[in-house]
Amino acid sequence: MNEALWALGRGTGVVALLLLTVSVVLGIVTRSGRPLLGLPRFSVTLVHRNSSLLASVFLVIHIVSLFFDSYAQLRVVDFFVPFLGAAKPFWLGLGTLALDLMLAIIVTSLLRRWIGRRVFRVVHWFTYALWPVALAHSIGNGSDGTSVWFLALALASVVLVAVAVAWRVSANFIEFGNARKGETR
Amino acid sequence: MSRERRPAATLHIDWTLCDGRGLCTELLPERLARDEWGYPLARDGSGGDVPLAASQLEAARDAVALCPRLALTLRKD
Amino acid sequence: MSGMGGEVRPPRGAGRLFAAPASDLTSHLATFGPVPDGPAASHLLDELQASGLQGRGGAAFPAWRKFAAAGSGRDPRSRGGAAVVVANGAEGEPRSAKDATLLRAAPHLVIDGLLLAGRTIGARELYLVTTAASLPYVARAIAERTDATAIRLREVPEAFLSGEASAVISSLEGGPALPRDKSRRLSSSGLAGRPTLLNNVETLAQVALIARFGAEWFRRLGTEEEPGTRLVTVSGSDLAPTVREVVGGMTVAAIVRAAGGSTDTLGAVLVGGYHGAWLPAERLDTPLTGHDLAPFGAAPGAGILVLLESASCGLKASAAIAGYLAAQSARQCGPCANGLPRMAEVLEKLAGGSRDTALPAEIRRLAALVTGRGSCHHPDGTTRLVLSALTVFSAEVKAHLAGGCLADRRARAGVAA
C-alpha cells in the first residue's frame, strides 16, 4: 500500500510540474496575442487554462497520496505553512509555498470576472515565482530529483521557459506591437 | 444568404479594455475582421456593438468567456 | 407663473441668463425672484417638455427626457438607490468660455436649477463640478444662501475630455477624469451605480428660468426648433473669446457680428468647437439650428464658433486642431489612441505641402476606420472635423496637391493691395 502511494505521489508530482511548464509557456504565448504553430489563439488560451487546471488536479493527488504515505511524514499544517516539515523542511517548504501560490492564482483566475482585472493580473504575475519554486522543490525533495532522466526533463523545461521569458521581454513580443504607435493605458 | 431581420443578440466591445488580442476575430470571422493595429473591426461597420445572428451565439459566448481582457459582453435584445 | 405675485417681471429681450446686474444673491433675487417651491415638481417636467429645452453641453438631448429617465428608475437594469444630480461645468473644450462666464456672472441661476432638478427627480445628492478657476465664484454664491448646503463642489482638471459625462462620473467616484465604457446609461446606473442626472450648467440655469416664468415665456424668443436663448462663445481671427447670449435660430453671421466680430474677411467658421464642422464663408447666413446645420455635418453643440480668416489656410488650421485632439485622446481605446495620431499626421502632411495625391483618400479611410470605435465620441468628433475640412476646403486640397495654397495667395494679394 505504502509503495503504491509513494509511486503515485512521485508520478503525479512530476506530471504536475510538466503541466505547469506547459501552462507557463502557453500563458506567455497568450499574452503575445499570437497563434502557436497553427494552433489558433483561442485554442492556445484554452490549453493554457486547461493545463493549469489539470496541473492542480495532479497536485491534489500528489499531496493527498503523500499525506497518507507514512514515509513522507506530512502533516496538515505542511499543506499551507512552509518550512515546518519533519523531513527536509526547506525543500518541502518550497513545495508548500508553490501550493499556496498555485491556490491564489487558480482562485483569482476562476473569479477574475468578479474581482476585476487588476487583482487578477497582479496575482497572475506570481506565476513567475511559482514555477521556479516548484521546480526547486521537485529537484530538492523528490526521490527522482537527482536522477538523470528527471534532471534532463528539468533542464528541457528550464530551457523552454527561459526562451519563452526571453521572448516575453523582447521588443517584438506583442503581435502588432510595431504597428501600434499610440500606446494605450 | 438572406439578410437577418433582427439580430439575435449584440456583442458589445468595451474599447477601454480591448487590447486587440484577436481571439474574438478568430471565433467570429464572419462578423469581425482586424484593423491594422490588431483591434477587432466589425465587418458591417457597427463599431462597438456588433449584431449577431442566432447561429453565431455560441461562438460569441466562447469569445466572451475566452477574451483575455474581459472586454466582451453579450446582450440579448 | 411668476415667483412673487407680480413683484418680479420676467426678463424681456435676449438678456435672460445675464439679466441680473450683478452676481450676488440680492441682485439675483431682485431680478428673478425666489425659486418657486411646493408642488412644482411634476409640473416642472411638463413645463420642460413644453419648453423644448435641449441640453446645452453639446449633445442637445431634450432636457425633460433626461429628467424623466433619471427620475423614474423604471430601467430594469438600474441598481437603484437614491438618485444623484450633477451640474457639469467642466467645459473641457478650449474654445468655449460660456460655462465659466455663466458660473461667474450668474451662479445663483445654476444653483437654482440644480436644486430644482434634485427636487424634481427626488435626488439625495447634488454635485457641481467645474474647473479650479470657476470654483471660488460658485463657492461664494453657495455661501450666500441657506438652501444650497446640500450641494457638493468638486474640481475637475482642465482637459478636453474631462467634461465628458462618464469622465465626470469617474472623477466624482475618485477615479481618473476619463471616459468610460457606455454599456450602462447614467440615468439607470451612474454615480456609484445610482440613477444619475447629469446636466450642463447652462441647461440648469435655463431650467431655473423655465421653472419661474414657464414654457410659454421661454418660447417667446427663438424658433420652433431652437426655442429660447443660448450662450455662444465666439473666438478666432483676432477676436478674444467672447460669450454672448443669443436668440435661438440666429444666423451664424449675425452671431459673429453680435460678438463684435466681422464677417467681411472670413474664409470659414468652425461651428460646434473642435468636434464640430466648418461652415464656408458664403454660407454664414445659415441659422444656428440642428436642422439648418445638418447638411454641413455641424450642430449648435455647446455654442462654439471659431473664426477663420480667408487668408488663413483651413487645412493648416484643421491639422493643428486634429493634432491637438489626437494628443487629447485618453489613450484607453486602441483605435482612437492609434488612429487619431495617424489621421492627424496625414492631414498635417497634406496641409504642409505634400503633393502625394493619395493623402485625401488615406484620411477618409482612417476616418471610417476609427468612427464608432471608442468608449466616447472623441474619435467620431475628430473625424467629423477632419472630413468637414476635406469637404469645405476641397479647393484648398486641390491647390495643395498642385503645390500651392489659396490662403497664402489671398494673404499676399491682401498685402499687395
Side-chain angles (χ1 to χ4, degrees):
Chain A
M1 186 59 195
N2 249 356
E3 275 305 305
L5 283 175
W6 183 240
L8 188 65
R10 278 158 55 190
T12 48
V14 173
V15 173
L17 181 70
L18 293 181
L19 283 169
L20 212 55
T21 304
V22 169
S23 178
V24 167
V25 171
L26 291 185
I28 290 172
V29 176
T30 294
R31 178 63 187 86
S32 79
R34 296 172 193 270
L36 180 70
L37 309 169
L39 205 61
R41 296 167 185 83
F42 60 84
S43 302
V44 173
T45 301
L46 264 178
V47 179
H48 162 64
R49 288 184 190 179
N50 290 343
S51 56
S52 12
L53 287 177
L54 208 55
S56 47
V57 170
F58 276 88
L59 202 56
V60 168
I61 304 174
H62 172 68
I63 293 160
V64 170
S65 57
L66 290 177
F67 179 68
F68 288 108
D69 173 50
S70 54
Y71 180 73
Q73 304 173 44
L74 273 183
R75 295 161 303 160
V76 175
V77 68
D78 296 327
F79 289 0
F80 306 103
V81 186
F83 310 118
L84 296 178
K88 292 189 179 179
F90 175 71
W91 298 111
L92 175 66
L94 291 184
T96 306
L97 199 60
L99 173 69
D100 292 345
L101 289 171
M102 183 91 175
L103 275 175
I105 294 164
I106 293 280
V107 167
T108 50
S109 298
L110 293 175
L111 298 179
R112 73 181 183 135
R113 204 162 279 279
W114 294 275
I115 58 172
R117 202 166 48 90
R118 209 154 293 166
V119 179
F120 163 79
R121 209 165 58 161
V122 168
V123 175
H124 231 70
W125 272 97
F126 280 101
T127 313
Y128 290 114
L130 159 65
W131 188 81
V133 166
L135 182 74
H137 160 76
S138 71
I139 294 173
N141 217 25
S143 39
D144 303 314
T146 45
S147 61
V148 175
W149 69 268
F150 183 78
L151 285 178
L153 214 55
L155 185 67
S157 303
V158 168
V159 169
L160 203 60
V161 171
V163 167
V165 169
W167 177 49
R168 170 74 179 87
V169 297
S170 69
N172 202 22
F173 173 66
I174 304 278
E175 195 189 25
F176 292 96
N178 294 332
R180 293 179 187 173
K181 298 277 188 283
E183 205 168 310
T184 48
R185 285 168 204 270
Chain B
M1 206 181 95
S2 68
R3 269 179 148 257
E4 302 278 345
R5 276 153 298 160
R6 270 179 92 218
T10 308
L11 185 68
H12 175 72
I13 304 168
D14 182 339
W15 294 107
T16 66
L17 295 177
C18 176
D19 192 34
R21 300 282 181 81
L23 282 82
C24 56
T25 61
E26 285 177 328
L27 287 160
L28 290 159
E30 62 282 357
R31 276 284 179 260
L32 298 171
R34 294 181 91 176
D35 66 17
E36 59 212 75
W37 309 287
Y39 300 100
L41 178 64
R43 291 191 190 277
D44 61 356
S46 54
D49 289 291
V50 187
L52 300 171
S55 58
Q56 292 154 342
L57 280 183
E58 203 171 318
R61 265 183 224 115
D62 287 344
V64 171
L66 285 172
C67 175
R69 301 275 294 189
L70 296 172
L72 299 174
T73 38
L74 197 59
R75 267 190 244 144
K76 293 280 174 68
D77 297 303
Chain C
M1 44 172 238
S2 74
M4 294 184 82
E7 270 182 47
V8 170
R9 270 203 224 140
R12 286 199 251 168
R16 290 177 168 183
L17 296 168
F18 298 139
S23 65
D24 63 286
L25 184 63
T26 313
S27 309
H28 170 73
L29 289 175
T31 311
F32 301 112
V35 188
D37 52 21
S42 67
H43 194 65
L44 179 59
L45 212 56
D46 294 338
E47 287 296 312
L48 284 183
Q49 183 171 4
S51 75
L53 174 68
Q54 295 174 346
R56 296 289 158 83
F61 196 75
W64 73 271
R65 242 187 238 167
K66 235 178 171 177
F67 273 59
S72 70
R74 270 178 300 125
D75 194 314
R77 288 188 297 172
S78 173
R79 270 194 272 158
V84 179
V85 183
V86 182
N88 186 6
E91 198 167 47
E93 166 82 44
R95 294 300 196 126
S96 180
K98 68 160 180 100
D99 293 345
T101 305
L102 179 68
L103 288 173
R104 192 171 181 162
H108 287 291
L109 272 184
V110 178
I111 293 168
D112 287 351
L114 181 51
L115 294 174
L116 281 161
R119 215 184 292 158
T120 306
I121 71 163
R124 207 166 297 161
E125 272 176 47
L126 307 174
Y127 291 91
L128 195 153
V129 300
T130 187
T131 56
S134 296
L135 274 180
Y137 302 104
V138 186
R140 197 169 60 200
I142 288 178
E144 277 186 286
R145 47 204 284 176
T146 54
D147 59 344
T149 48
I151 297 176
R152 301 176 202 189
L153 267 178
R154 293 285 187 274
E155 183 188 332
V156 284
E158 277 189 72
F160 191 81
L161 291 176
S162 65
E164 198 265 353
S166 65
V168 169
I169 298 299
S170 173
S171 130
L172 281 176
E173 288 177 0
L178 298 175
R180 286 180 174 171
D181 182 55
K182 306 288 185 302
S183 49
R184 279 160 178 254
R185 286 178 191 284
L186 292 187
S187 60
S188 61
S189 181
L191 186 64
R194 304 212 299 270
T196 300
L197 173 65
L198 184 138
N199 277 119
N200 175 262
V201 287
E202 183 195 339
T203 314
L204 290 172
Q206 300 279 14
V207 167
L209 292 180
I210 292 167
R212 286 180 167 90
F213 310 120
E216 193 267 326
W217 165 85
F218 183 74
R219 282 187 169 281
R220 258 178 234 166
L221 293 178
T223 63
E224 178 66 27
E225 191 202 347
E226 271 287 323
T229 60
R230 71 154 61 236
L231 297 180
V232 296
T233 313
V234 187
S235 68
S237 165
D238 296 340
L239 187 69
T242 305
V243 175
R244 286 283 178 274
E245 185 174 8
V246 300
V247 172
M250 249 168 98
T251 67
V252 170
I255 293 172
V256 171
R257 282 191 290 270
S262 158
T263 54
D264 300 343
T265 55
L266 292 186
V269 172
L270 181 61
V271 178
Y274 285 177
H275 275 175
W278 292 101
L279 197 65
E282 61 275 16
R283 301 303 301 276
L284 295 185
D285 57 346
T286 308
L288 194 76
T289 71
H291 178 258
D292 293 292
L293 290 169
F296 303 93
I304 302 160
L305 300 181
V306 182
L307 313 182
L308 184 80
E309 289 289 314
S310 63
S312 298
C313 175
L315 292 179
K316 281 187 192 140
S318 302
I321 298 171
Y324 165 83
L325 292 175
Q328 289 291 318
S329 164
R331 301 202 165 286
Q332 298 186 108
C333 309
C336 177
N338 288 285
L340 298 199
R342 183 81 195 110
M343 189 161 64
E345 197 181 296
V346 182
L347 181 60
E348 178 60 47
K349 244 191 226 173
L350 181 64
S354 165
R355 298 183 60 179
D356 182 352
T357 52
L359 294 180
E362 174 65 359
I363 292 170
R364 285 180 211 279
R365 186 188 72 82
L366 288 163
L369 192 58
V370 300
T371 301
R373 295 175 71 221
S375 74
C376 73
H377 290 304
H378 192 51
D380 308 24
T382 307
T383 295
R384 183 180 310 129
L385 170 93
V386 169
L387 290 181
S388 151
L390 290 187
T391 309
V392 171
F393 304 121
S394 59
E396 190 68 278
V397 171
K398 254 185 226 157
H400 275 234
L401 292 177
C405 177
L406 297 178
D408 273 359
R409 220 172 294 161
R410 281 191 292 263
R412 277 196 300 272
V415 171

